[in-house]
Each structure stands twice: as structure tokens, then as C-alpha cells.
Amino acid sequence: MKKALRTAVMALGFAAGAALAQPGIEGGTDGLHQINTKTLGIGNMTLGTGGNISTSAWGLSRGGVFEMDGKRYSYNAADYSQAGNIFFGMGVLDFWDIGVVLPLYYEHANSDGPSGDANQWTTSRGDLDMWMKIRAPFKSKVFSLAAMLDLYAPTGEIGAGVRPRHVWYLNSETYTSPFTAGDWTFAAGLVTTFDFTKVGYPFRVNAAASYVYPVDLAETNALVYAAGVNWIPKKWVDVFLEYSGEMRLQSKGNLKFSPMNDPMLITPGFRFHLPYNVDFAVGLEVAVRTFKNLGFDHDKEIEGCDDVILSYIGENGHTATYCYAPTPLISGAAVLSVRFDPFGPKDTDKDGVPDEQDKCPSTAKGIKVGSDGCPLDSDKDGVIDDLDKCPNTPAGSVVFYDGCIDTTGTRLKAEEDARNKAKADSAVSANARALILDLDGDGILDDKDKCPNTPAGVPVDSTGCPMDFDHDGVNDAQDKCPNTPAGTPVDSVGCPMDFDHDGVPDHLDKCPNTPVGIEVDINGCKMDSDKDGIPDTQDKCPGTPEGMPVDSIGCSLDFDHDGVPDMKDKCPNTLPGIRVDENGCPLDKKEDLDQLKKGIQFKTGSATLTKSSFGTLDDVAALMRKIPNANLEVQGHTDDKGSDEKNMKLSQDRAQAVVDYLIKRGVEKDRLRAVGYGRTMPLADNVNEDGRAQNRRVELVPFEK
């Protein structure tokens, strides 16, 4: 009962599933085993759980056998093991994350021997991993770099389990404890990310490696590594392929340096980005050593075990030896996590506009701002409302630094009088002398200052005008995008205009009114991966070959719904349910309307069917009875001999004659209709007898009610 309850508890604990005998999901948002350089941001947090599960006894020991107290035993074939964790991460600064991972393990090591008494069949914890990730400060569109530091505390249970969960747990002098190193362990490494989504390609590549140093000198130094390629076909899902593992870097005692006997996994899978910042990833872990023994031969599995024999001591002094299994041969893995900000949106300048929406994130305290976080300038005169003494200046007016216009010349005269008075007064005050030399205090003498009313503190050029490095009309002090290419239209903060906020500047945007939230291409238009004219968000058939005509939902046109697109269909009038070949033509010629119509003949100049037509029409009737949901339009056509009125009547009468015959042969009247087209729809020229013969015809065309 105790063991059954233990099994049930661990099964519930694993329900979310995730990665991790090898590198964990420490702060990452890609795949299972990958670590990327992305950080959470100040105050943001992540919380989750995960693990992997194997149902083979070979995941406990090589060959599933062990010796205990001098006797040889085998684990049950259906035994299995799990490795899971609970993890938490937090952004300390924009480039600095910290976190903790608590491993949880379960071994269902049942056998005909004393495995349960030896604490091999057990539930327990592992060594607590406290980690830190610091992203490098340099900027690159695609490449980024980060450093990883880990400190493992010896919190795992000693003398429990079977399979060592890390290579640095292997002890060359005493007994190996599968769930702990038994002492502190340090690790340091680098992480790289190549994010090609930044330049329009849906791929991201991550690689990471860490050097692991256990304090216990009986255990080996190790290398932990992981790499992954992620394809992002949609914003809500990633498809990934990973290679990860651990490698001992030295031989110790009877444990020989043997990279092929250490963990190496290939993991394909999917990661789903769900609403409310929830991520769920699932994958299949395949050990590289599996490919050495695809036949699962027991003798081949235990070859080379002399280099990796482990000694173990469990409860009540039971001792065991067995061949080290670095990982299960095949296991399932998953991870579930959620990201959140417990403190709400940030507002660095306390202006009431969150930083993520604030285009002027450093506004001085007390300044009134608009919805974009920038100081209000109601009359658009270049002077913010809080400094504007004339807040209703007409549009286009040239104003002084206080926002007012000198309409009478009084102010200009007063300034001129002040200069003259200052020149005549030898005891001029310091302020007056400043007025003589530099009225606006920008460091440019007034006689050379082309912008004599520059606001205090604004950097100016050699002519006294506000600095504007990229010449976009927004001075550098206010310019949030100081390197805008020449001629690019900009907004009030100097950034390229982007009316629809899709990330493509207006001067490059060929679709400037894209709705908010829609994924766009480099031209600012809705993504259309297969170039069929239907955006991906509406395209139900996203892989249509280029040039193929499609309907309103992006699928190839198929008039007769036989699975062959109209462009390739040589028999476009096939009835529903008929088996067709690759050209869209019925495999049974008696089910091919295009063949059957050729056998419908009339006596010259009349609507009387020839006797040779009856067999063909009987086949048509049988086909219609076989497919009760099919409807047929019989179309009559003539050449250009005779009057239009005569030809129209003759074609209608012939079509009706066919319909009347089919009704007599048991086809419901409401499933048929006769239409005469006269000479209005020729197939060929009427200049010779061959062309006229082609035009004198009956067409059998399915229709839908």
C-alpha cells in the first residue's frame, strides 16, 4: 500500500513534466534543455515545473541487472524512473536574472530481490541549484552572449535511488549516491543566442556550456552542454531539435574517462506560448547510445561495463554494484511555466504612463504629459505647456523661449534698449553683461547666434541652434532615434513614423493601415508565406504551390472536389465520390462524364437521339442512381449554321431529350436540368467541318443546389 501511494503521488507530481538530467530550463524560454540569453527584466518572475519519465529497467542500470549482498538480481521489465523539478526565476536588472531549481526524483526499482529494503525503490529530492545569468551589454541585431553561474547545495538524499542524475555524482573512492554529490558543487559557463527572427527569418539557435567543479575530490570535474535549433512558424508555437549532455573530464579510480558512457541526448519537440504568459513544452529524449544497440541486445548493452561499475549503499547497510546507465534509452519530457510581474507595470519617471508605452521615459517630475508620456504642447509651438506663457499661439508662429510672439516689436525694442544700456554702463551687472554677450546662455555670442532663444540646457551647434545630428528636425536632446536615415519622416521624438505600429516605418510600409497585433513581413503587409494573396491569418492551406489559383481561404480551386486542383484536373466535371487518378480523371471510364458525353448522338438537324446513344445514356443513368447526391446540368451546343433562334431552340430540345431519357431510367427530375446555349459557346472555329463538328455537342456538368 505504501509503495502504491508513493507511486500515485509521484505520478501526480509529474503531470506537468519537463527536462532535466542535463542542463535545465534555468531562465530559458526555448525548448526543454536549451538555455538562451534572454532575461526576464526588472521585477519579472517565472515559476514552473517539469520532468522526464522512462518506463524501461535499462534506464536504472545497464541491462537492468544488479548485484546486492553477493547475489545477482534483475529489475522488473516494467520498472521506470522519473526526474522532475520545481523552478523559480526573477529579473534583478534588465540584464541580470537569478533563480533556484529543486530537483525531485522517483525510482520504481522493483525486483525479485531486496531493492525496496535498500531504498532503491524510492521518492526523494536532489541537490538544490541556485543560478545566476548575466547578459553581456553589447548590442547586436542577431547575436547575444550571457554568462551562467550555478551553485549546487548538497540537499539530496544520501543512499537512495539507482541511476545517478549527474556525472559529478559518480564517486571513485566511496559509494555513489544517485541523488546527490554529497558536497557543494560550482559551475560557470557561457550562453550564446543567434536570433534570426530579428532580421525576418523564423529561426533561433542557442548554445551553452558550463564547467562543473565538485568540492568532493573523489568526484570528477565535468562539462555540461546543450544546443538547440528552434523554428518559429507561428508566434504561439516553436518546433525545436536539441542536442544536450554531460561529460566527465577525467578518470578517477575505477571510473575511466569515457565520453560515450556519459549522458548524450537528442530531443525533438514543440513549445507552445499560451495566453497569460504560460509556456508548455513537450519532447522525446533519445539517448545517443541507443543507436549503438538498435536491436536492444542484452549482451551488447553491458559491453564495456568494467569502466563504469558503481558501488551503492542503501538503508540497513545493503550494498549493491551495477553498471552505470547515464540516461534512459528513450524518455518523454515536458515543462510548464508562467511568467508574471507581481509589482505591475513600471513607470520610471512617475508621469502615469507605463515605461513600455512611454516615448519620453525621463520626463521631469511635475511636467504634464500626454498619453504617449511626452510633455504636452497644446499649441504645437515647440514650447511645452508648463513653460508656455502664451499657450494659444496660432499654428506656424515663430515664438520666443517663453512661447509668446512679439507682434508689436515692443519686446525686441526692450531687448535692444537693454543691450544699449549695458554697453553704456561701465558698472554693468553680471546678468546685463551676459545679456550683451549671450542672451540665451547657450555659449554662442548673440552676434553669431542664429537661434537666439534656445531653451536653457539644450546642446547647440556652432550657430547656436539645437544639435540635430541626423537632420530630421528634432533636436538631439529630444531625439529618441538620433541616427534616422536622411529624408525619413519622423514623429515628435525623432523616430521613424509608424502609423500602424507594426514595426515597419511608414516610408517603407506598403500596407500602412495594418490592424494592431497582426504579424507582418518586411514590407509591413500581412504575412503571406506561400504568396497566394491570402494572409497567413486567413489561409487554411498555407503551403499552396506558387502560382496555383486559390479560393477565399487560400486553398487550391477544385470545382468537382475530387482532391485534384483545377489547374491540374483534366476531368474537372467528376461527380462526388468517384475514385480518380493523378490527373483527376475517373479510374472507371463508365464513371467519366467527359468520356460518356461523346456517345450521345442525334439524328441530323433534329432532337431525336440515335439508337447508339441509348447504351451511353443508360450508363449515365446508372451513375446518377449510384450517387444520389449528384445533380447534372445537360448543356446543348450547336455550330453557326442557321439562325440564332433556330440553333438556340435545337440546342434546348436536344438537352431536354437527354434529360427526359434519364428521367425514364429512374433519375429524379429535380436532380436534372436542361440548358440550351446555341452557338454562343463554341470550342473551336466554325470555319471548317472539323471545327463545326466539335461545336455540335452535349456537355454533362455537375451542379450544386
Side-chain angles (χ1 to χ4, degrees), residues 7-38:
T7 302
V9 170
M10 281 308 298
L12 289 173
F14 178 73
L20 307 156
Q22 276 68 50
I25 39 66
E26 304 166 333
T29 54
D30 291 328
L32 288 169
H33 299 292
Q34 300 176 60
I35 306 173
N36 60 22
T37 59
K38 185 176 181 181

Side-chain angles (χ1 to χ4, degrees), residues 26 35-39 95-98 131-138 144-150 187-192 207-210:
E26 304 166 333
I35 306 173
N36 60 22
T37 59
K38 185 176 181 181
T39 49
F95 61 88
W96 179 19
D97 287 355
I98 60 174
W131 59 266
M132 176 188 304
K133 178 164 65 174
I134 302 174
R135 180 166 42 83
F138 68 84
S144 55
L145 180 71
M148 281 292 298
L149 300 173
D150 292 83
L190 293 176
V191 184
T192 59
S210 289

Side-chain angles (χ1 to χ4, degrees), residues 532-587:
D532 61 359
I534 307 299
D536 290 352
T537 53
Q538 303 170 19
D539 201 331
K540 303 300 182 184
C541 302
T544 306
E546 188 171 352
M548 181 78 72
V550 298
D551 57 21
S552 60
I553 60 172
C555 295
S556 301
L557 292 175
D558 183 9
F559 173 76
D560 55 8
H561 306 294
D562 62 356
V564 179
D566 290 350
M567 177 178 279
K568 298 181 179 179
D569 200 336
K570 294 183 179 179
C571 300
N573 295 318
T574 304
L575 291 178
I578 298 300
R579 294 172 59 239
V580 300
D581 59 21
E582 61 186 13
N583 297 316
C585 292
L587 297 174

Side-chain angles (χ1 to χ4, degrees), residues 116-130:
D117 294 339
N119 206 21
Q120 288 187 323
W121 183 353
T122 186
T123 303
S124 193
R125 67 202 172 274
D127 287 353
L128 187 70
D129 177 10
M130 295 165 283

Side-chain angles (χ1 to χ4, degrees), residues 160-196:
V162 182
R163 176 169 54 84
R165 290 314 199 271
H166 292 292
V167 295
W168 60 88
Y169 291 2
L170 306 184
N171 196 300
S172 63
E173 296 180 359
T174 59
Y175 297 101
T176 292
S177 290
F179 293 165
T180 181
D183 212 329
W184 294 86
T185 302
F186 301 89
L190 293 176
V191 184
T192 59
T193 294
F194 294 86
D195 192 352
F196 297 103

Side-chain angles (χ1 to χ4, degrees), residues 120 204 359 384 398 500 582 656 674:
Q120 288 187 323
R204 186 163 47 249
K359 294 183 178 179
I384 64 175
V398 178
D500 53 8
E582 61 186 13
Q656 189 62 50

Side-chain angles (χ1 to χ4, degrees), residues 585-614:
C585 292
L587 297 174
D588 186 346
K589 298 306 179 184
K590 288 191 175 183
E591 297 176 339
D592 189 343
L593 295 178
D594 289 335
Q595 293 296 324
L596 291 171
K597 71 181 182 183
K598 297 176 182 178
I600 302 174
Q601 303 292 330
F602 297 90
K603 293 182 178 179
T604 303
S606 76
T608 303
L609 290 161
T610 64
K611 290 183 179 180
S612 63
S613 302
F614 297 157

